[in-house]
Amino acid sequence: QVQLVESGGGSVQAGDSLRLSCKVSPDAVSPACVGWSRQTAGKEREGIGVIEGDGTVGYDAAVAGRFTVSRDKANNIVYLQMNGLEPEDSGIYYCMVDLAQPCDTYCSGGHCYLGGGVFNFRGQGTQVTVSS
């Protein structure tokens, strides 16, 4: 069974940085597409950054230029580097993997689309709180 465990959340001040990590298990799982989503106050869960099967990295317009998604394939870890955090970034952040071939998780035109089928998995989430 695929498991994703996020870590690195916390409470910071506006302008600060945080790096979230996500360990994907078991190691034999090697998803083509990985990324992050979040749920902020009063909103549905939304994708914020995706590494697609061909290595293309896309972002939601709200975080582009501030957030960076990366992965360590050897250790099956996905990262989210968040710089210039704003109070509006407060919420629960979820790591996600898409095992579908081709993936149905991707970003286009400043918006990220989340796959919702049986080949999509996400972690339990980690809280990020940004104070002004």
Side-chain angles (χ1 to χ4, degrees):
Q1 182 173 346
V2 178
Q3 291 189 324
L4 292 77
V5 179
E6 301 99 336
S7 60
S11 297
V12 297
Q13 297 290 316
D16 285 351
S17 298
L18 272 177
R19 189 175 81 155
L20 306 183
S21 300
C22 170
K23 173 61 181 173
V24 181
S25 301
D27 286 338
V29 171
S30 183
C33 301
V34 299
W36 293 85
S37 60
R38 71 181 181 185
Q39 185 163 20
T40 56
K43 292 187 176 182
E44 301 272 331
R45 188 169 64 93
E46 57 186 0
I48 55 173
V50 176
I51 302 177
E52 299 177 25
D54 63 357
T56 301
V57 187
Y59 299 94
D60 184 87
V63 306
R66 298 187 298 125
F67 291 12
T68 303
V69 180
S70 61
R71 67 189 299 183
D72 176 353
K73 282 192 173 183
N75 294 295
N76 228 359
I77 300 174
V78 185
Y79 298 102
L80 179 66
Q81 177 67 43
M82 304 185 291
N83 298 328
L85 283 162
E86 303 167 352
E88 294 74 22
D89 295 317
S90 296
I92 302 174
Y93 283 70
Y94 301 91
C95 174
M96 56 184 186
V97 300
D98 187 337
L99 303 181
Q101 293 287 351
C103 304
D104 55 7
T105 301
Y106 63 97
C107 299
S108 178
H111 184 77
C112 295
Y113 299 86
L114 300 177
V118 297
F119 297 107
N120 291 273
F121 301 86
R122 61 181 168 99
Q124 81 288 352
T126 185
Q127 178 72 46
V128 172
T129 303
V130 185
S131 302
S132 59

